[in-house]
Amino acid sequence: MSSDHLLSSYDYYLPADLIAQNPVIPRDHSRLLVINSSTSHIHSIFRNLPQWLLPGDLLVFNNTRVIPARLYGKNSTGAPVEILLLEEQEPFCWLALVKPGKRFKLGSEIYFKLDNNDENEDNFLVATVIDRDEETGGRLLKFEVDSLDLFWKKIETIGQIPFPPYVTESEANPSQYQTIYAQKPGAVAAPTAGLHFTEELLAKLQQKGINQAYITLHVGLGTFRPVDIDNIKEHKMHQEWIEVPDVTVEKIKETKANGGRVIAVGTTVVRALEGTAKATEMANKQELIPFRGKTDIFIYPGYSWRVVDGLITNFHLPKSSLLMLVSALIGRERLLNLYQIAIEEKYRFYSFGDGMLILL
């Protein structure tokens, strides 16, 4: 078996003090490791991004919005319950992790109080367990609410933005774990490559003639689920919902036709664009078509790229599917060598950490 297909080949040691606990302020003052050829790299600052891109290039962003996915409620006996929403299955029905989970059989109800000083019936959001998910050990919860607007209003009232488990000592506020262009609610984690952008930086990119487009991928379990099988080719990715609209597809086609590059801002954008290319091929279409649905695409070395020409990304966890995706772009050995350089140079890793720009 090729080393590129062995899980152990994607391991590396990261000193704990390099796991970023807080974001840099301003956002675009984080560091940027620029891979500008097949053999060279340069240390830069994220606000210098425009100098590395060319007029006619297209940056594609993920406009998902992180929801307050962590909820605290009580069961029918009054015992405390913690919920982590994972993914919307259908209107008002969410797959969720429930603690303590063993108590919650089908038909169990969970009560979330909107105002601690109000005991009226209208002051509660109620969820009923309607199914169990064997893959995640989670529960499918049906929320009793009359409209989508009211549902989100109540979730915003009672919920908390969940930071990643490795962010344990953060002083960041929830807005710092949200991209400035976040628009469509549904993610349970931020598309973190986008956290580096400021309004000023977006304006400078636009002034240089670097175009912008958007997709939506609600970051869920598939992005963070660990790979736990020795032969990574046997790993099954959890499906994630994506939308690549007509206007973005047209901008991609125009960029390619004019010799520009399509630069994905984050691995979620890579999955959305390449997943759409896969759906296009399955539909027997020659040109990229808009797509709205689910993708389970798993990208690792040996993958044939169809849409993406470059990538802006953060530094990822050992043995993660995201590390494998980036390896597919520049090679596993080179990526791990660059990670070692980043460690020696004290780059900050993971969600609140520094960035990497890959242009090949």
Side-chain angles (χ1 to χ4, degrees):
M1 187 191 310
S2 166
S3 296
D4 284 344
H5 298 150
L6 284 173
L7 179 61
S8 58
S9 297
Y10 294 88
D11 200 8
Y12 69 91
Y13 171 71
L14 180 69
D17 64 339
L18 295 185
I19 300 175
Q21 297 298 309
N22 293 290
V24 170
I25 301 174
R27 294 170 179 244
D28 59 2
H29 281 48
S30 55
R31 297 170 74 185
L32 181 67
L33 182 60
V34 181
I35 294 88
N36 61 336
S37 79
S38 59
T39 56
S40 64
H41 64 272
I42 297 169
H43 300 291
S44 186
I45 303 294
F46 205 91
R47 66 177 181 271
N48 295 335
L49 179 64
Q51 79 179 60
W52 303 109
L53 303 180
L54 301 171
D57 284 344
L58 177 67
L59 286 173
V60 184
F61 300 89
N62 183 1
N63 64 6
T64 188
R65 185 172 187 83
V66 184
I67 62 171
R70 181 163 283 121
L71 313 177
Y72 295 93
K74 293 184 178 181
N75 66 11
S76 56
T77 67
V81 181
E82 181 182 340
I83 302 294
L84 181 65
L85 300 176
L86 292 180
E87 178 184 292
E88 186 180 32
Q89 303 278 315
E90 56 186 76
F92 313 127
C93 283
W94 281 77
L95 174 63
L97 298 180
V98 181
K99 287 201 292 190
K102 291 182 180 178
R103 294 185 199 163
F104 287 91
K105 298 181 168 48
L106 297 187
S108 299
E109 291 185 333
I110 306 169
Y111 302 87
F112 304 96
K113 201 171 187 179
L114 301 174
D115 182 348
N116 289 329
N117 299 317
D118 187 350
E119 295 298 331
N120 289 329
E121 191 174 310
D122 291 342
N123 186 45
F124 288 89
L125 178 62
V126 182
T128 304
V129 178
I130 61 172
D131 204 356
R132 175 185 169 85
D133 183 64
E134 296 298 331
E135 185 179 359
T136 62
R139 303 291 189 276
L140 189 62
L141 304 181
K142 175 78 171 178
F143 288 89
E144 298 174 19
V145 66
D146 294 331
S147 71
L148 200 56
D149 285 346
L150 187 57
F151 171 76
W152 285 118
K153 185 178 179 181
K154 290 186 174 185
I155 292 296
E156 292 285 346
T157 299
I158 62 178
Q160 297 178 9
I161 297 284
F163 285 177
Y166 44 77
V167 177
T168 56
E169 300 174 6
S170 183
E171 297 173 2
N173 63 56
S175 67
Q176 291 175 285
Y177 192 57
Q178 202 83 263
T179 64
I180 61 169
Y181 47 80
Q183 188 175 16
K184 299 186 178 181
V188 300
T192 54
L195 295 178
H196 303 283
F197 287 86
T198 61
E199 294 288 359
E200 182 183 17
L201 179 56
L202 289 177
K204 286 181 178 178
L205 288 161
Q206 207 160 19
Q207 288 166 10
K208 190 174 177 180
I210 296 153
N211 300 309
Q212 300 166 20
Y214 295 88
I215 60 88
T216 305
L217 183 151
H218 293 318
V219 188
L221 197 63
T223 297
F224 296 100
R225 186 180 176 201
V227 179
D228 55 9
I229 191 164
D230 289 339
N231 181 357
I232 67 168
K233 293 169 71 176
E234 297 175 7
H235 175 69
K236 301 296 182 186
M237 288 291 288
H238 188 82
Q239 289 189 329
E240 289 180 305
W241 185 91
I242 63 173
E243 180 178 12
V244 179
D246 293 35
V247 63
T248 296
V249 169
E250 289 307 312
K251 284 186 177 182
I252 290 170
K253 289 179 181 177
E254 185 180 339
T255 299
K256 297 274 191 182
N258 293 332
R261 298 171 295 185
V262 175
I263 313 296
V265 180
T267 55
T268 60
V269 174
V270 172
R271 294 196 72 221
L273 295 182
E274 297 295 325
T276 295
K278 182 179 177 182
T280 298
E281 291 175 4
M282 291 178 69
N284 293 316
K285 301 291 184 181
Q286 296 301 312
E287 286 194 339
L288 193 69
I289 58 174
F291 180 72
R292 179 186 174 98
K294 289 193 171 184
T295 184
D296 62 355
I297 192 168
F298 179 27
I299 297 173
Y300 52 85
Y303 178 77
S304 297
W305 294 90
R306 293 158 174 83
V307 181
V308 173
D309 302 305
L311 173 64
I312 296 170
T313 188
N314 283 17
F315 294 89
H316 302 293
L317 276 73
K319 298 184 178 180
S320 64
S321 63
L322 305 182
L323 196 64
M324 296 164 192
L325 182 153
V326 183
S327 294
L329 195 58
I330 63 171
R332 176 184 57 83
E333 290 186 8
R334 186 170 187 217
L335 182 65
L336 290 176
N337 285 338
L338 288 166
Y339 269 45
Q340 193 56 47
I341 290 168
I343 290 169
E344 291 168 2
E345 295 289 333
K346 304 294 184 185
Y347 274 71
R348 302 162 73 253
F349 276 59
Y350 305 164
S351 297
F352 283 137
D354 296 316
M356 175 184 281
L357 170 64
I358 300 171
L359 296 172
L360 299 178

